[in-house]
Amino acid sequence: MVVTDALARLGRAGLTALAGVGRAHTLLAAIIVGLPALLPRPRLLIAQIFNIGVLSVLIIAVSGLFVGMVLGLQGYYVLNQFGAEESLGVMVAASLVRELGPVVTALLVAGRAGSALTAEIGLMKATEQLSALEMMAVDPVRRVLTPRFFGGCIAMPLLAAMFSMLGVLGGWFVGVGLLGVDDGAFWSQMQSKLDFREDVINGVIKSLVFGVVVSWIALFQGYDATPTAAGVSQATTRSVVHAALAVLGLDFILTALMFGE
Amino acid sequence: MGTTRTTEILVGAFMAAGFLALFFLAMRVSNLSAAGDGDGYALIARFDNIGSLKVRAPVSMAGVRLGRVESIAFDEAAYQAVVTLRIDAAYDQLPTDTFANIYTAGLLGEQYVSLDPGGSPDYLGDGDQIEHTQSALVLERMIGQFLFNQAQEDSE
C-alpha cells in the first residue's frame, strides 16, 4: 500500500523530530540543574569563557569594525540624497545596537565557537570519553556540558556589545573622518534618538537569548551525534545550520515583541 | 599554573572589555548620560488636542531642551489629554503662569512641547499643573478653517 507507506514515513519523521525536541529539552534541564555544582569550581567556567569568548574577540572585532564602516558608507550615500547626512549616527547606531550587533555576533559565534563545541562533544562521545567519565561516577553533563553552556551565555552579550561599539566607531570613522559629517551632530542625534532601556537593554536581552540558543543547539548536536566520524561531521553541520536558522527566526519574534507597538 | 593564570587574566580582560563596551553604548550611544529617568521634577499639562505628540518628545524653552515628555494619558471626564513633562532639576525657575504649546519641528518633523515663560514671581514645583496650554495645530483643521473663511468671504 503506497498510501499507508507514505503515511507511515510521515509519522516516523514526525515522531523522530518530536523525540529530538524532547531529548534537547531534557538535556537543557540537566545542564541547568548542574549550575550549583559549577559555582564552587569557577575555573571550569573561566576556561570555557576563554574558549568561546576570548578566542572569538578577533573575528568579532574585525567584523564589527567593517560592518560599521560599510553602514557608514552606504548610509551616507542614501542620506546625502535627502540632505540628512547628520542622521548617519542614528542610522548606524540603531541598526547595530538593535539588530546587527546581536544577530551577526550570534551567527559568527555559532560558526566560530558553536561548531567547535559540537565537534568537541561529538568526538568525546565517539571516543567514549563521556562513557569513561560516567564510569568514574562523574556526570558528563555537569562536568563537560554545563560550563560550556554558561560560558556561551556569558560570552555572547559581551561579544555583541563589543561588536556594536566597534561598529559605531567604524561608522564614525567613515562618516566623520572620511566623508565629513559633523562630529557633534553625529553623536548628539544618536543620543537623542536612541534610548538606553528601549534600544541598548533590548539588544543585550536579544544577545542573551541568542547565547542560550546557540550554546544549547551546539551542545545538543554534539551530545546527540551518531558516534562515528560521519556522524560528528553531520552534527557539526547541523549545529551551525540550526543555530543560524534559530537565531534569525527568534530575532524576528523578539523584534516584533520589543519594537512593535 | 602559568597557563591557568594567563587564561584567567585574558578572561578578566575580555569581560572588562565587554562591560566597557556596554558602558560605551549606554553613555555615548544612548541617552543615558542626558537626563536619566526619575531625575528632575514633573509638570502636568492638559491639552485639548496633542496631535501626534509622542512620549520622550523634547520639552524646550527658547529652543533649549529642558526635559522630555514622560507620559501621555487621557482624562475621560474632561475629554482632554494629560501630558506629564519631566523637567531637568537644573531648570527649577519656571514661572507658575508658563504657557505650554505643541509645535512641530520643521514641516514634517516630530512634535515637541514648547514652554513660554510668564511673569509670575512664583515658580512651578514638582507635580504642579501648567494652566495655560495651546493645542497642537492639526493641518486638516487649519485647511478646513481656511476654506470656511474663504467661502464666507465669497458669499458676502
Side-chain angles (χ1 to χ4, degrees):
Chain A
M1 290 296 280
V2 183
V3 178
T4 44
D5 278 357
L7 271 179
R9 264 203 301 281
L10 186 65
R12 203 182 311 132
L15 286 174
T16 313
L18 215 55
V21 171
R23 281 199 306 279
H25 282 86
T26 322
L27 183 70
L28 182 65
I31 286 173
I32 290 172
V33 165
L35 181 62
L38 176 68
L39 292 178
R41 267 175 267 153
R43 281 269 161 81
L44 290 174
L45 187 64
I46 287 173
Q48 292 314 319
I49 296 178
F50 180 81
N51 271 341
I52 299 165
V54 177
L55 295 181
S56 303
V57 164
L58 187 66
I59 188 165
I60 293 293
V62 172
S63 317
L65 206 59
F66 277 89
V67 166
M69 280 160 65
V70 168
L71 274 178
L73 215 52
Q74 294 283 12
Y76 180 81
Y77 288 126
V78 175
L79 291 171
N80 196 24
Q81 293 174 6
F82 305 103
E85 58 268 25
E86 270 76 30
S87 301
L88 186 67
V90 184
M91 200 212 89
V92 170
S95 42
L96 277 167
V97 171
R98 288 181 180 179
E99 295 293 337
L100 290 175
V103 172
V104 177
T105 306
L107 295 178
L108 287 172
V109 169
R112 156 70 188 71
S115 57
L117 282 183
T118 308
E120 190 186 11
I121 306 287
L123 213 61
M124 278 182 167
K125 191 182 178 190
T127 54
E128 296 183 341
Q129 294 180 42
L130 295 182
S131 313
L133 276 177
E134 229 162 334
M135 276 199 29
M136 294 189 291
V138 177
D139 183 353
V141 172
R142 285 188 189 183
R143 170 77 201 193
V144 178
L145 299 193
T146 303
R148 283 166 174 75
F149 178 77
F150 286 102
C153 295
I154 292 171
M156 186 75 87
L158 298 176
L159 287 171
M162 287 181 206
F163 186 98
S164 298
M165 180 187 82
L166 286 165
V168 170
L169 291 178
W172 171 80
F173 172 71
V174 168
V176 177
L178 300 182
L179 298 171
V181 175
D182 182 55
D183 188 37
F186 185 88
W187 292 111
S188 68
Q189 290 236 2
M190 190 190 298
Q191 285 170 6
S192 69
K193 287 288 186 298
L194 262 74
D195 186 53
F196 176 67
R197 208 187 54 76
E198 283 275 303
D199 295 312
V200 177
I201 292 294
N202 275 349
V204 173
I205 293 174
K206 263 188 185 179
S207 59
L208 206 61
V209 172
F210 296 160
V212 171
V213 168
V214 168
S215 327
W216 179 23
I217 290 178
L219 292 175
F220 171 68
Q221 291 297 348
Y223 195 72
D224 206 50
T226 316
T228 58
V232 173
S233 106
Q234 273 174 6
T236 310
T237 310
R238 264 206 307 272
S239 162
V240 176
V241 172
H242 287 191
L245 291 177
V247 163
L248 294 170
L250 269 175
D251 180 53
F252 175 73
I253 295 171
L254 286 174
T255 302
L257 286 176
M258 287 169 173
F259 301 109
E261 277 178 73
Chain B
M1 205 57 206
T3 48
T4 325
R5 179 126 186 90
T6 321
T7 310
E8 281 176 353
I9 291 170
L10 283 172
V11 169
F14 164 72
M15 296 190 68
F19 284 115
L20 206 71
L22 271 178
F23 184 73
F24 172 85
L25 291 178
M27 303 310 287
R28 194 76 219 237
V29 173
S30 78
N31 57 359
L32 196 66
S33 49
D37 286 33
D39 278 8
Y41 60 100
L43 294 179
I44 292 163
R46 290 165 170 273
F47 293 94
D48 292 327
N49 189 337
I50 57 167
S52 60
L53 188 74
K54 296 276 185 335
V55 173
R56 287 209 282 134
V59 176
S60 63
M61 181 178 275
V64 180
R65 199 186 128 119
L66 304 189
R68 60 191 170 75
V69 173
E70 187 175 57
S71 67
I72 295 171
F74 182 63
D75 180 358
E76 248 182 306
Y79 301 109
Q80 279 183 325
V82 182
V83 177
T84 308
L85 313 173
R86 175 69 55 180
I87 310 290
D88 290 359
Y91 309 111
D92 56 354
Q93 302 199 341
L94 303 179
T96 46
D97 54 350
T98 294
F99 202 96
N101 303 285
I102 296 178
Y103 289 140
T104 309
L107 194 57
L108 299 167
E110 61 171 350
Q111 293 194 297
Y112 65 99
V113 178
S114 171
L115 301 177
D116 289 322
S120 167
D122 298 326
Y123 298 129
L124 287 164
D126 187 40
D128 286 356
Q129 183 168 336
I130 298 177
E131 301 295 341
H132 311 288
T133 61
Q134 188 188 338
S135 295
L137 287 176
V138 181
L139 207 57
E140 288 90 332
R141 194 173 284 178
M142 278 170 63
I143 293 170
Q145 195 85 42
F146 176 74
L147 291 176
F148 182 72
N149 290 346
Q150 205 73 3
Q152 257 187 341
E153 272 173 34
D154 287 349
S155 64
E156 273 167 16

